[in-house]
């Protein structure tokens, strides 16, 4: 029997906030953010490629080389609405003295009949329709009198003019897309054009998210004294989807060893990544840390960052990575950005794992603890001059959800900096939505 589950309301020996705001300059057991990220990425393997239909493959990376079975275009066709002609027949045409040709038929897009066309003749042809045998050019409607039985042509056509040659886009057997290509609308169009309806891709990792904490309740339950509605699982599921994963919230687990281990075990088979929030600090009821440390496959570390100092990472079952993030919402999101997002992107096969940063002028100053990389929530503005400026959204407290919701970026204050001076340049990570 786990004693912690019987008395979840007992006060912690110290407040959660002080765990993260205390100075850590003299603590030589902390890992740097970069060291922790490197060790996390080291523990992230790739997922076996799968075959998906085109629209399910959107945003993913191709895991096969694709060749065209037939040429693109697959037949010579007209680039314009006009008249298919033999260029030599139009050699002497001019506006003053047009060449007149007999029109022997119409060729519409999709026409099957490819009747030949002898000298001195023309056929009315539509964009995309096959060039009749014997013709070698299309003279656009604009350069004719648009005649039906006979057509007057006002200028000479060049041989090959307005003809889209079979194979000029892609020859039969040529490489269409290589493994590693990112599949956006342009690439999906090419795949469809060459007749592929399914492709082998690096799949979206399946991320399972669970919130730990005996104080947590679901939305819909009016929190009584001491209870807190679980917001982390929504935030982390959204962040995981935004990073390119498929995400499932599996709800709340109280601070209870057995319940936690059972729940994790039950999810292992369907997960490519497990994420827990809460329970990784030094408190008496930090059950995630207690229960998973015992397994010996998950390591709990303290990282020189603020917020997000306590971090757990390791593997469960058959090498399924598990991230144990701190419970304070801001700590959780910053930890996700620092470690989980790059890991998900690695699983997706992306080359760039980190978000892009921009430099912005700080509109206000703030102190920052030495020896830790601080991530402050910010509001990034684009100035009329083209540069950026940034103000802070809320204080350093990692429980400040309303300020988090107003923010659109993280301001990164380096380990060695002890303050941000108003007017100086700072590094900012814009938290752009991916619209996936
Ligand atoms: P812990 O990391 O478990 O010590 O939790 C730190 C703080 O975050 C406590 O105030 C918790 O109530 C809060 N917290 C933990 N998990 C969640 C959650 N899923 N949603 C909202 N707040 C949470
Ligand atoms: Mg907790």
């Amino acid at each position: 029997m786990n004693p912690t589950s019987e008395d979840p309301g007992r006060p912690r020996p110290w407040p959660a906030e002080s765990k993260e705001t205390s100075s850590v300059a003299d603590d030589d057991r902390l890992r740097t953010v970069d060291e922790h990220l490197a060790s996390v990425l080291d523990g992230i393997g790739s997922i076996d490629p799968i075959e998906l239909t085109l629209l399910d493959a959107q945003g993913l990376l191709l895991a096969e080389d694709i060749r065209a079975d037939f040429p693109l275009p697959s037949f010579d066709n007209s680039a314009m609405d006009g008249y298919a002609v033999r260029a030599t027949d139009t050699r002497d045409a001019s506006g003053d003295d047009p060449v007149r040709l007999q029109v022997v038929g119409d060729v519409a897009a999709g026409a099957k009949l490819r009747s030949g066309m002898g000298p001195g003749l023309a056929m009315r042809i539509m964009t995309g329709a096959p060039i009749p045998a014997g013709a070698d050019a299309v003279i656009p409607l604009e350069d004719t009198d648009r005649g039906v039985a006979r057509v007057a042509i006002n200028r000479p056509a060049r041989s090959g003019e307005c003809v889209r040659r079979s194979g000029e886009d892609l020859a039969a057997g040529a490489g269409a897309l290589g493994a590693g290509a990112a599949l956006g609308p342009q690439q999906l169009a090419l795949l469809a054009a060459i007749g592929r309806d399914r492709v082998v891709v690096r799949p979206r990792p399946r991320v399972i998210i669970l919130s730990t904490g005996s104080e947590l309740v679901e939305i819909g339950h009016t929190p009584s004294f001491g209870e807190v509605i679980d917001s982390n699982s929504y935030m982390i599921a959204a962040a995981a989807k935004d990073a390119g994963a498929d995400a499932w919230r599996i709800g709340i687990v109280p601070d209870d060893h057995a319940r936690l281990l059972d729940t994790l075990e039950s999810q292992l088979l369907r997960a490519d990544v497990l994420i827990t929030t809460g329970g990784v600090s030094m408190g008496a009821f930090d059950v995630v840390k207690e229960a998973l440390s015992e397994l010996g496959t998950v390591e709990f570390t303290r990282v020189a960052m603020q917020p997000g100092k306590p971090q757990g990472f390791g593997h469960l079952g058959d090498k399924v990575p598990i991230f144990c993030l701190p419970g304070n919402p801001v700590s959780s999101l910053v930890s996700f950005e620092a470690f989980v997002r790059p890991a998900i992107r690695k699983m997706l096969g992306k080359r760039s794992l980190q978000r892009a940063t921009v430099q912005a002028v700080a509109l206000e100053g703030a102190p920052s603890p030495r020896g830790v990389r601080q991530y402050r929530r910010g509001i990034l503005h684009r100035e009329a001059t083209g540069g950026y400026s940034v103000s802070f959204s809320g204080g350093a407290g990692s429980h400040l959800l309303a300020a988090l919701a107003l923010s659109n970026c993280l301001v990164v204050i380096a380990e060695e900096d002890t303050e941000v001076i108003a007017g100086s340049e700072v590094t900012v990570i814009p938290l752009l939505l991916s619209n996936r």
Side-chain angles (χ1 to χ4, degrees), residues 271-308:
D272 295 312
V273 179
L274 293 162
I275 303 176
T276 67
T277 68
V280 295
S281 301
M282 316 284 276
F285 304 116
D286 284 322
V287 163
V288 175
K289 184 173 177 177
E290 290 166 20
L292 297 186
S293 299
E294 287 169 10
L295 301 180
T297 58
V298 184
E299 188 185 13
F300 289 86
T301 325
R302 289 184 305 147
V303 179
M305 66 192 282
Q306 186 196 69

Side-chain angles (χ1 to χ4, degrees), residues 82-86 89-90 100-107 116-125 132 135 137 139 147-153:
Y83 294 83
V85 296
R86 294 169 180 257
D89 289 345
T90 64
R100 287 171 212 283
L101 301 176
Q102 188 190 342
V103 179
V104 291
D106 286 342
V107 208
M117 207 189 73
L121 303 179
M123 290 185 89
R124 207 154 60 135
I125 192 166
I139 192 92
V148 177
R150 290 180 69 75
V151 62
I153 291 171

Side-chain angles (χ1 to χ4, degrees), residues 311-348:
Q311 296 290 335
F313 176 74
H315 298 89
L316 293 184
D318 186 18
K319 276 290 202 183
V320 178
I322 178 168
F323 290 87
C324 304
L325 308 182
N328 272 305
V330 178
S331 316
S332 227
L333 187 65
V334 167
S335 306
F336 181 94
E337 284 293 325
F339 308 118
V340 189
R341 195 172 201 278
I344 288 174
R345 291 182 64 82
K346 182 174 179 192
M347 290 177 129
L348 285 163

Side-chain angles (χ1 to χ4, degrees), residues 124-207:
R124 207 154 60 135
I125 192 166
M126 317 306 153
T127 303
I131 303 290
D136 67 343
V138 171
I139 192 92
L141 279 181
E142 300 82 292
D143 296 318
T144 73
D145 68 352
R146 302 170 192 243
V148 177
R150 290 180 69 75
V151 62
I153 291 171
N154 299 331
R155 65 163 177 84
R158 269 179 299 104
S159 178
E161 180 175 345
C162 294
V163 175
R164 302 159 166 172
R165 286 260 162 247
S166 172
E168 75 175 14
D169 195 7
L170 199 61
L177 291 170
L183 299 179
Q186 311 93 300
Q187 293 73 31
L188 296 181
L190 177 59
L191 291 168
I194 64 171
R196 292 289 301 246
D197 64 340
R198 307 175 78 85
V199 281
V200 180
V201 291
R202 309 276 305 253
R204 298 190 184 281
R206 295 163 303 172
V207 175

Side-chain angles (χ1 to χ4, degrees), residues 336-387:
F336 181 94
E337 284 293 325
F339 308 118
V340 189
R341 195 172 201 278
I344 288 174
R345 291 182 64 82
K346 182 174 179 192
M347 290 177 129
L348 285 163
K350 303 277 187 191
R351 270 173 289 275
S352 117
L353 304 184
Q354 307 271 17
R355 284 193 193 264
T357 61
V358 299
Q359 295 299 116
V361 174
L363 294 176
E364 56 189 303
S368 181
R370 182 190 293 282
V372 300
R373 187 178 303 176
Q374 195 182 29
Y375 295 87
R376 290 282 301 262
R377 277 64 62 208
I379 301 172
L380 186 65
H381 316 266
R382 176 124 211 172
E383 299 293 331
T385 53

Side-chain angles (χ1 to χ4, degrees), residues 12 212-213 215 255 279:
R12 290 162 180 272
T212 73
E215 75 280 29
D255 292 319

